Amino acid sequence: MHKTVDVVIVGGGIMSATLGTLLQKLEPSWSIDLYERLGAPAEESTNPWNNAGTGHAALCELNYTPEQADGSIATASAVKVNEQFQVSRQFWSYLVDEGIIPSPEKFIVPVPHMSFVWGEANVDYLRRRFDALKNHPLFTGMQYTEDPAVIHQWAPLLMPGRSKNEPVAATYYAQGTDVNFGALTEILLDSMAANGATVRMNTTVRSVKRRADGLWAVNIVNEIGKTPSTVLAKFVFVGAGGYALNLLQRSGIPEIRGFAGFPVSGQFYRCDDPAVVAQHQAKVYGRASVGAPPMSVPHLDTRVVDGGTSLLFGPYAGFTPKFLKTGSLIDLFRSIRPGNIVAMIQVALTNLGLVKYLAAEVFASKARRVASLREYFPGADASKWYLYNAGQRVQVIKTDPDKGGILQFGTEVVAHKDGSIAGLLGASPGASTAVSAMLEVLEKCFPQRLNVWREQIVDMIPSYGTVLSADPKATATSLARTAKALKLV
Ligand SMILES: Cc1cc2nc3c(=O)[nH]c(=O)nc-3n(C[C@H](O)[C@H](O)[C@H](O)COP(=O)(O)OP(=O)(O)OC[C@H]3O[C@@H](n4cnc5c(N)ncnc54)[C@H](O)[C@@H]3O)c2cc1C
């Protein structure tokens, strides 16, 4: 006789923890089992050292404001990602008010967000970007300068050693954030367990199969005793990060046909030297090099993790066929299906610039990596920095009816049409937008419950169902309320 639960959640990262917390609030009587294959939660992309911890709100990331063919700056993606981050801030603030997050400073701290560029064309771009955003309610307070002395004041490591004749420019937003998504995940999973969920580590979900009675048979194995068992679930969420694709493929749902994954690995340089760390208090994003994927924009970051502060520079993109950092070298090959192989080939052929860029990054010498660091911190002493492997991203390849195989850099919620199973593919903007992504899962999978839930969702996330920035007063209220609750002021 198998155990039957309302919900099985696969994976112990930020997405699963967010969905589990939302569901527990909305349906306290539902039984929830969460299974994580590793010995601890948040050991993959959600681990603070496996990602950059930027509270992505487009306050500094230039890839959200591309320059159009007519020279204008597109701001729609920037506004969208900022809106989504406000949704996360509102939900986290609610959890603080509820006592579920007693000390928000354990996972989120204020770190100014800066964009920094050099060269005539880039300065011109940043000036126009600033002009396009400065009056928007979500970007009010952003500052702009072309004065090296002001930049030096904002971020003292950037200017010394730079040619005096080179034009430079920067924007500065004091209330940017650094987020430890691993710490947040642990807080949420502890709360889920305390409220009756079963949260099991060292438990791998091998497969998810539909039964004739409509339940999902979730086949799990305990990684310590290697004992297999089966749990039956009415609803399954596959929050397995890079392994979501494979589990969804094996579930047999037609909606996953045509999807494939393109793994991109990354490395960061890290510096823990207190004398260096003390001189930089910002997340400074630059412009990506030609051919670079949007998530490879270089940045020099303050990171605050478990009470310690370090500096991070990168990422240096790379390639391995693994779909998780702790994955297998055959992951990519295992994901090939008759339904996605054409899309994979089309993507390879139409993204030769990216392939070339990744190849160059994989074989980059230490001298080249240090040279990249010195583009941002000219006086960097290489002996104080060490390179390490960050998390693995699996970018979404999907089959577009008109364009064929396309590579996309966002996330994608894939759900079965009856709403009984869903999963999340892709990695960007990622953890910062986890709450919006998980609300999308609820909307796709439980449309019939939404009317019942709506009032409670609005209680947790006041801007739910609206465009926050369409109402400047509501935006200001939300920013002030969440800054106070999350101790960002
Ligand atoms: C280099 C890098 C930098 C990034 N920077 C940022 C940033 O600055 N800001 C930001 O917001 N986002 C950033 N991201 C994205 C962000 O880290 C991810 O979007 C987010 O952590 C994904 O969370 P997740 O829960 O989906 O996946 P994960 O954290 O990968 O969790 C999935 C979990 O599922 C488990 N699992 C897998 N298969 C199974 C199975 N079969 N059975 C049981 N468990 C399983 C895994 O072990 C893992 O713990 C970055 C990512 C990378 C790689």
Side-chain angles (χ1 to χ4, degrees), residues 385-418:
W385 294 76
Y386 57 94
L387 201 61
Y388 74 94
N389 289 334
Q392 189 72 355
R393 293 185 206 246
V394 180
Q395 304 302 148
V396 179
I397 293 178
K398 98 189 226 195
T399 309
D400 181 277
D402 302 322
K403 298 184 200 150
I406 50 167
L407 180 65
Q408 64 176 43
F409 293 100
T411 45
E412 180 102 15
V413 173
V414 177
H416 187 34
K417 63 173 186 307
D418 72 0

Side-chain angles (χ1 to χ4, degrees), residues 11 13-15 36-37 45-46 51-54 56 205 393 427 429-432:
I14 185 65
M15 299 297 168
E36 165 56 50
R37 68 193 267 274
S45 293
T46 300
N51 62 68
T54 303
H56 283 308
V205 173
R393 293 185 206 246
S432 302

Side-chain angles (χ1 to χ4, degrees), residues 59-119:
L59 300 167
C60 54
E61 312 89 321
L62 302 178
N63 52 305
Y64 295 120
T65 45
E67 188 166 0
Q68 306 292 85
D70 66 359
S72 63
I73 306 291
T75 56
S77 300
V79 171
K80 184 176 170 201
V81 74
N82 195 315
E83 288 266 353
Q84 290 176 328
F85 190 57
Q86 302 314 321
V87 168
S88 292
R89 281 175 57 138
Q90 290 178 13
F91 184 55
W92 300 336
S93 299
Y94 163 82
L95 297 177
V96 171
D97 294 345
E98 289 285 294
I100 289 173
I101 301 179
S103 312
E105 66 279 12
K106 289 203 171 140
F107 87 93
I108 187 165
V109 291
V111 172
H113 281 194
M114 286 178 69
S115 303
F116 173 62
V117 297
W118 56 90

Side-chain angles (χ1 to χ4, degrees), residues 80-421:
K80 184 176 170 201
V81 74
N82 195 315
E83 288 266 353
Q84 290 176 328
F85 190 57
Q86 302 314 321
V87 168
S88 292
R89 281 175 57 138
Q90 290 178 13
F91 184 55
W92 300 336
S93 299
Y94 163 82
L95 297 177
V96 171
D97 294 345
E98 289 285 294
I100 289 173
I101 301 179
S103 312
E105 66 279 12
K106 289 203 171 140
F107 87 93
I108 187 165
V109 291
V111 172
H113 281 194
M114 286 178 69
S115 303
F116 173 62
V117 297
W118 56 90
E120 208 71 72
N122 289 336
V123 168
D124 178 51
Y125 161 79
L126 192 64
R127 189 186 309 121
R128 285 179 294 122
R129 179 189 197 262
F130 174 70
D131 285 340
L133 290 176
K134 69 182 177 199
N135 294 324
H136 192 281
L138 286 168
F139 297 87
T140 307
M142 186 183 273
Q143 299 173 65
Y144 174 80
T145 188
E146 292 175 23
D147 182 348
V150 175
I151 297 175
H152 184 66
Q153 205 190 328
W154 288 343
L157 299 181
L158 300 184
M159 295 314 297
R162 209 170 279 281
S163 157
K164 301 249 179 309
N165 303 321
E166 193 172 44
V168 286
T171 55
Y172 183 87
Y173 188 89
Q175 288 211 348
T177 49
D178 181 70
V179 187
N180 179 341
F181 292 106
L184 174 61
T185 300
E186 286 180 31
I187 295 168
L188 299 184
L189 293 186
D190 284 349
S191 156
M192 278 175 64
N195 287 295
T198 301
V199 176
R200 279 173 56 184
M201 299 296 117
N202 295 305
T203 306
T204 299
V205 173
R206 287 259 172 92
S207 65
V208 188
K209 297 264 175 256
R210 197 72 189 267
R211 298 192 342 157
D213 61 6
L215 293 174
W216 287 96
V218 182
N219 299 306
I220 55 179
V221 63
N222 179 289
E223 288 299 339
I224 295 170
K226 290 290 171 197
T227 35
S229 57
T230 299
V231 172
L232 305 179
K234 293 178 192 157
F235 171 71
V236 176
F237 174 65
V238 186
Y243 274 8
L245 173 67
N246 192 263
L247 274 176
L248 287 168
Q249 285 174 329
R250 281 192 282 157
S251 75
I253 59 167
E255 290 80 1
I256 196 66
R257 259 183 233 136
F259 280 96
F262 184 95
V264 178
S265 58
Q267 290 184 310
F268 283 114
Y269 256 134
R270 175 173 160 185
C271 170
D272 302 322
D273 185 316
V276 183
V277 173
Q279 294 175 66
H280 188 75
Q281 177 58 25
K283 283 177 176 283
V284 179
Y285 277 62
R287 266 195 120 173
S289 11
V290 178
M295 72 283 183
S296 290
V297 176
H299 45 101
L300 178 63
D301 280 18
T302 297
R303 290 302 327 270
V304 183
V305 176
D306 301 334
T309 308
S310 304
L311 298 188
L312 209 65
F313 179 78
Y316 299 97
F319 179 81
T320 116
K322 291 181 183 183
F323 277 10
L324 287 177
K325 191 172 170 177
T326 59
S328 151
L329 290 171
I330 60 166
D331 285 342
L332 178 60
F333 307 101
R334 229 174 10 198
S335 72
I336 300 173
R337 295 284 186 285
N340 66 16
I341 189 155
V342 174
M344 289 170 96
I345 294 168
Q346 283 171 330
V347 162
L349 294 175
T350 50
N351 288 274
L352 290 174
L354 172 62
V355 174
K356 218 171 114 192
Y357 168 83
L358 290 178
E361 286 280 294
V362 169
F363 296 110
S365 62
K366 183 176 177 197
R368 233 196 75 197
R369 286 175 183 190
V370 172
S372 302
L373 166 63
R374 290 195 179 132
E375 286 188 342
Y376 288 81
F377 174 13
D381 173 352
S383 70
K384 296 191 168 155
W385 294 76
Y386 57 94
L387 201 61
Y388 74 94
N389 289 334
Q392 189 72 355
R393 293 185 206 246
V394 180
Q395 304 302 148
V396 179
I397 293 178
K398 98 189 226 195
T399 309
D400 181 277
D402 302 322
K403 298 184 200 150
I406 50 167
L407 180 65
Q408 64 176 43
F409 293 100
T411 45
E412 180 102 15
V413 173
V414 177
H416 187 34
K417 63 173 186 307
D418 72 0
S420 63
I421 187 168

